[in-house]
């Protein structure tokens, strides 16, 4: 009996005269009085040759029944089977559960999933339906996610293509030039050694740049206080040594509040800007060449400006300079990665970068970064 | 045949290297260097013709402003230039299959060569 109650929360116990003597706890939600079975239920199936009598039902014990609770406003139907338990031979037990088509059906009858036995196939189906509903929502989210990931992959792929092209071209060029120089007659090779060294260093710089680029994608942001003065002096010193030119630098730092950002990216950006300012200085100007850097910080942002009177950029090339592997001038010792790195990193820091330039007069880059909060 | 060489390359080092090798060549009459393909195009339009002398152009592919392909397009649009005694060798660091295939479409190209220039390459060009 306990098993029956547990397995069929909608069970019915009928006596010889088909009076309802007991019903399951979940059935109680739909049926509010005992009374006669005949007054509450009619047979939907079997619908032929069956009457509301103990003997008649007993003839259909091995059959599948559908009963309708016809007084109920929603006319709930039950599917199941009648059994006669060997210890209660004068009773008919109906073992079944509601015939529900959807989750809404379930809710309309104030029923919950807990009203059903765990093994119940009806509830299994409903759970599955419910799952499908969830899946549908999941699916649309998944499609959007996939679409986004796909676009991202496409971008990464395009960049990879560009990098592979660079490796087979821009990387090979200095190597091939060195090979060419080394294959000269011995007496000439010695003279060319400094050129070979210079060429290989150029290749190394390209590789360092590419490494910075890939790091930007991989390394998480880590905010700390930026020491502008130290960062700029260090960078300026390094690149003056590398290019063997000392161009006067004017530094004006107006820091009302400390500036917090990602040191690795800020340093890389500053290195690339200072290196460009030194590299593209006009030799004819000699001592009148200059680099002017001004920094202004406030609690919300930092504005960094670097101005030079170097060779400048043609107006028609200006829109392309931030593109990967773009080289505006032939004199350009560059590899077309530096400004692209700046653009990518500034974007990563949610900042902005703008450029103004006049050919043979000079270039000004203005960058704006948000001032981050320290954890 | 006495040969005037033109090298078109945006890389100073390859120009210098090419000049060094070509000056060792047995057929070399002169070597002219071009940073820009546009300048070389002008030079070809204005070059003098000699019955007993030819011109050989070494053309790089990847260059800013006017690349090697653009140079060949411009050249092939002016058939009169191709009637001059001129041979074009593509000399590039590109080992890209697409580039090699694309170059085959240009009738004006004699041969596709890979950098760097060598003594053997100069001998080969002088002999052909």
């Amino acid at each position: 009996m306990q098993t029956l109650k547990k397995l069929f929360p909608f069970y019915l116990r009928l006596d010889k005269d088909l009076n309802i003597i007991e019903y399951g706890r979940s059935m109680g939600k739909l049926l509010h009085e005992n009374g006669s079975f005949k007054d509450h239920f009619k047979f939907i199936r079997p619908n032929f040759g069956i009457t509301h009598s103990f003997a008649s039902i007993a003839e259909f014990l091995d059959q599948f029944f559908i009963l309708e609770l016809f007084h109920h406003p929603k006319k709930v139907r039950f599917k199941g089977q009648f059994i006669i338990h060997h210890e209660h031979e004068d009773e008919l037990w109906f073992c079944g559960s509601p015939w529900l088509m959807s989750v809404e059906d379930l809710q309309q009858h104030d029923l919950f999933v807990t009203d059903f036995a765990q093994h119940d196939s009806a509830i299994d189906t409903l759970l599955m339906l419910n799952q499908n509903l969830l899946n549908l929502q999941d699916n649309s989210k998944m499609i959007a996610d996939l679409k986004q990931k796909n676009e991202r992959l496409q971008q990464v792929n395009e960049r990879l293509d560009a990098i592979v092209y660079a490796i087979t071209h821009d990387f090979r060029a200095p190597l091939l030039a060195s090979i060419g120089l080394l294959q000269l007659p011995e007496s000439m090779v010695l003279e060319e050694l400094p050129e070979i060294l210079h060429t290989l260093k150029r290749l190394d710089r390209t590789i360092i740049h590419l490494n910075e680029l890939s790091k930007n994608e991989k390394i998480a942001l880590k905010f700390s206080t930026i020491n502008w003065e130290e960062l700029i002096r260090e960078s300026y010193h390094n690149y003056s040594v590398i290019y063997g030119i000392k161009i006067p630098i004017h530094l004006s730092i107006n820091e009302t509040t400390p500036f917090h950002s990602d040191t690795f990216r800020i340093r890389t950006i500053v290195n690339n800007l200072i290196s460009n300012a030194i590299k593209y200085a006009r030799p004819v100007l000699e001592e009148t060449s200059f680099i002017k850097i001004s920094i202004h910080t406030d609690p919300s942002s930092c504005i960094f400006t670097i101005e030079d009177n170097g060779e400048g950029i043609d107006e028609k090339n200006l829109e392309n300079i931030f593109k990967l592997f773009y080289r505006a001038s032939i004199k350009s010792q560059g590899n077309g990665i530096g400004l692209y790195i700046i653009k990518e990193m500034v974007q990563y820091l949610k900042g902005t970068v703008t450029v103004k330039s006049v050919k043979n007069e000079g270039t000004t880059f203005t960058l704006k970064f948000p001032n981050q909060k320290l954890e | 045949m006495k040969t005037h060489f033109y090298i078109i390359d945006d890389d100073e080092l390859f120009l210098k290297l090419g000049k060094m090798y070509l000056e060792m060549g047995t057929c070399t009459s002169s070597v002219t260097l071009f940073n820009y393909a546009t300048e070389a195009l002008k030079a070809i339009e204005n070059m003098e013709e000699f019955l007993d002398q030819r011109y050989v152009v070494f053309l790089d592919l990847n260059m800013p402003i006017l690349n090697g392909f653009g140079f060949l397009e411009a050249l092939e649009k002016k058939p009169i230039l191709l009637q001059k005694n001129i041979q074009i060798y593509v000399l590039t660091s590109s080992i890209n299959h697409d580039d090699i295939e694309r170059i085959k479409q240009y009738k004006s190209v004699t041969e596709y060569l890979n950098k760097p220039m060598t003594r053997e390459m100069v001998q080969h060009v002088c002999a052909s």
Side-chain angles (χ1 to χ4, degrees):
Chain A
M1 185 70 90
Q2 284 310 313
T3 323
L4 175 81
K5 287 182 182 173
K6 209 169 156 192
L7 288 180
F8 298 101
F10 293 95
Y11 78 93
L12 291 169
R13 265 176 80 198
L14 311 176
D15 66 9
K16 267 270 184 238
D17 301 319
L18 299 192
N19 289 314
I20 299 168
I21 44 177
E22 199 184 334
Y23 45 78
R25 69 175 164 86
S26 298
M27 182 64 95
K29 290 190 167 187
L30 305 166
L31 187 71
H32 304 294
E33 47 176 8
N34 287 28
S36 159
F37 173 71
K38 196 181 173 175
D39 294 340
H40 295 288
F41 293 95
K42 67 178 185 188
F43 298 109
I44 303 295
R45 188 196 288 180
N47 58 1
F48 185 73
I50 192 153
T51 59
H52 282 85
S53 76
F54 192 96
S56 182
I57 293 173
E59 278 178 39
F60 291 90
L61 286 185
D62 54 350
Q63 293 218 7
F64 178 66
F65 275 76
I66 296 175
L67 307 177
E68 187 177 280
L69 187 61
F70 58 87
H71 282 321
H72 193 275
K74 301 273 165 50
K75 299 200 185 313
V76 194
R77 290 180 176 190
F78 296 87
K79 63 182 163 68
Q81 218 181 326
F82 283 96
I83 58 165
I84 296 176
H85 197 269
H86 63 277
E87 285 171 18
H88 304 267
E89 288 191 336
D90 52 352
E91 289 182 13
L92 275 170
W93 293 357
F94 175 74
C95 313
S97 55
W99 181 278
L100 299 174
M101 301 306 290
S102 69
V103 182
E104 280 128 73
D105 252 11
L106 185 75
Q107 288 159 349
Q108 272 177 9
H109 298 117
D110 299 319
L111 292 174
F112 298 97
V113 171
T114 49
D115 284 323
F116 293 78
Q118 270 176 2
H119 78 286
D120 200 308
S121 59
I123 211 60
D124 287 349
T125 313
L126 283 177
L127 279 173
M128 224 166 69
L129 277 172
N130 224 344
Q131 200 74 43
N132 277 343
L133 217 79
L134 289 175
N135 279 347
L136 277 176
Q137 289 164 353
D138 281 357
N139 280 349
S140 59
K141 196 176 163 280
M142 227 154 68
I143 288 168
D145 275 3
L146 269 178
K147 228 174 154 182
Q148 210 182 348
K149 279 192 182 132
N150 213 18
E151 277 167 20
R152 177 90 191 103
L153 273 178
Q154 226 160 348
Q155 275 177 6
V156 171
N157 218 13
E158 274 167 26
R159 189 180 305 163
L160 269 180
D161 273 351
I163 287 170
V164 168
Y165 189 82
I167 289 171
T168 56
H169 192 276
D170 295 30
F171 279 37
R172 279 193 87 220
L175 273 182
L176 294 174
S178 303
I179 292 170
L181 288 168
L182 287 167
Q183 284 174 339
L184 286 167
E186 255 177 64
S187 58
M188 292 166 88
V189 172
L190 269 181
E191 265 176 62
E192 297 304 326
L193 282 179
E195 186 80 87
I196 295 170
L197 187 66
H198 175 81
T199 306
L200 293 177
K201 278 184 176 170
R202 192 176 95 190
L203 175 62
D204 189 43
R205 268 206 305 280
T206 308
I207 293 170
I208 288 171
H209 267 160
L210 270 184
N211 186 44
E212 283 170 351
L213 196 57
S214 84
K215 266 182 168 171
N216 184 43
E217 300 282 320
K218 286 190 190 124
I219 296 180
L221 289 168
K222 204 175 143 208
F223 298 130
S224 58
T225 308
I226 304 293
N227 185 340
W228 280 116
E229 170 109 29
E230 192 184 292
L231 201 133
I232 289 165
R233 294 273 174 220
E234 196 183 295
S235 173
Y236 172 74
H237 174 76
N238 285 344
Y239 287 100
S240 297
V241 171
I242 287 174
Y243 294 114
I245 328 169
K246 201 134 183 101
I247 292 165
I249 187 166
H250 309 278
L251 185 56
S252 118
I253 300 177
N254 180 5
E255 256 183 319
T256 55
T257 33
F259 174 58
H260 308 301
S261 191
D262 181 86
T263 314
F264 159 66
R265 289 177 180 82
I266 293 284
R267 173 176 289 130
T268 309
I269 292 166
V270 168
N271 279 347
N272 277 299
L273 288 169
I274 289 180
S275 143
N276 279 352
I278 296 176
K279 199 158 62 180
Y280 298 112
R282 281 175 292 166
V284 287
L285 292 178
E286 292 175 5
E287 258 106 81
T288 57
S289 281
F290 66 78
I291 301 170
K292 278 183 194 162
I293 295 179
S294 78
I295 287 157
H296 182 89
T297 72
D298 65 38
S300 68
S301 63
C302 173
I303 295 168
F304 175 99
T305 310
I306 178 165
E307 182 191 348
D308 65 52
N309 58 350
E311 61 182 66
I313 304 156
D314 247 335
E315 205 187 328
K316 63 175 183 345
N317 297 330
L318 220 46
E319 58 175 326
N320 293 320
I321 59 168
F322 290 108
K323 287 183 185 162
L324 185 57
F325 300 123
Y326 182 82
R327 285 176 303 161
S329 89
I330 267 167
K331 189 209 163 191
S332 151
Q333 288 264 330
N335 44 38
I337 309 179
L339 285 174
Y340 179 77
I341 290 178
I342 292 177
K343 188 200 77 177
E344 288 284 301
M345 290 198 170
V346 166
Q347 258 174 23
Y348 210 91
L349 295 172
K350 296 198 163 50
T352 56
V353 52
T354 53
V355 57
K356 272 188 207 155
S357 189
V358 179
K359 189 77 190 157
N360 293 322
E361 282 186 26
T363 307
T364 305
F365 286 94
T366 306
L367 295 85
K368 190 174 176 182
F369 303 104
N371 200 347
Q372 302 291 346
K373 301 258 180 307
L374 291 187
E375 292 291 303
Chain B
M1 194 188 282
K2 280 290 168 199
T3 307
H4 299 281
F5 288 104
Y6 284 5
I7 311 177
I8 311 168
D9 200 316
D10 62 318
D11 192 320
E12 290 286 348
L13 196 50
F14 281 110
L15 291 177
K16 176 183 161 181
L17 195 65
K19 191 171 193 289
M20 289 167 103
Y21 276 105
L22 288 174
E23 281 174 350
M24 290 186 261
T26 49
C27 66
T28 308
S29 163
S30 74
V31 181
T32 317
L33 308 179
F34 298 94
N35 267 149
Y36 294 92
T38 45
E39 286 172 3
L41 214 53
K42 266 183 229 153
I44 289 172
E45 281 183 35
N46 299 328
M47 75 191 183
E48 277 183 84
E49 284 190 87
F50 308 98
L51 278 176
D52 59 340
Q53 291 175 20
R54 64 165 181 169
Y55 289 85
V56 165
V57 175
F58 286 101
L59 174 69
D60 185 28
L61 288 184
N62 189 269
M63 294 178 284
I65 301 167
L66 182 66
N67 67 17
F69 298 107
F71 173 86
L72 291 170
E73 297 277 348
L75 199 66
E76 294 197 357
K77 270 187 200 148
K78 295 180 180 171
I80 191 154
L81 296 181
L82 294 174
Q83 284 163 16
K84 297 187 177 184
N85 192 1
I86 177 170
Q87 285 171 338
I88 295 165
Y89 290 86
V90 167
L91 180 60
T92 171
S93 62
S94 171
I95 42 176
N96 188 332
H97 182 73
D98 292 346
D99 284 348
I100 298 170
E101 283 303 306
R102 214 173 138 194
I103 281 301
K104 286 183 184 163
Q105 296 167 9
Y106 297 95
K107 288 189 282 299
S108 55
V109 175
T110 305
E111 216 174 316
Y112 186 99
L113 301 171
N114 277 117
K115 283 182 182 176
M117 197 180 280
T118 58
R119 290 175 93 161
E120 292 72 27
M121 196 185 281
V122 177
Q123 276 164 17
H124 166 74
V125 173
C126 275
S128 54

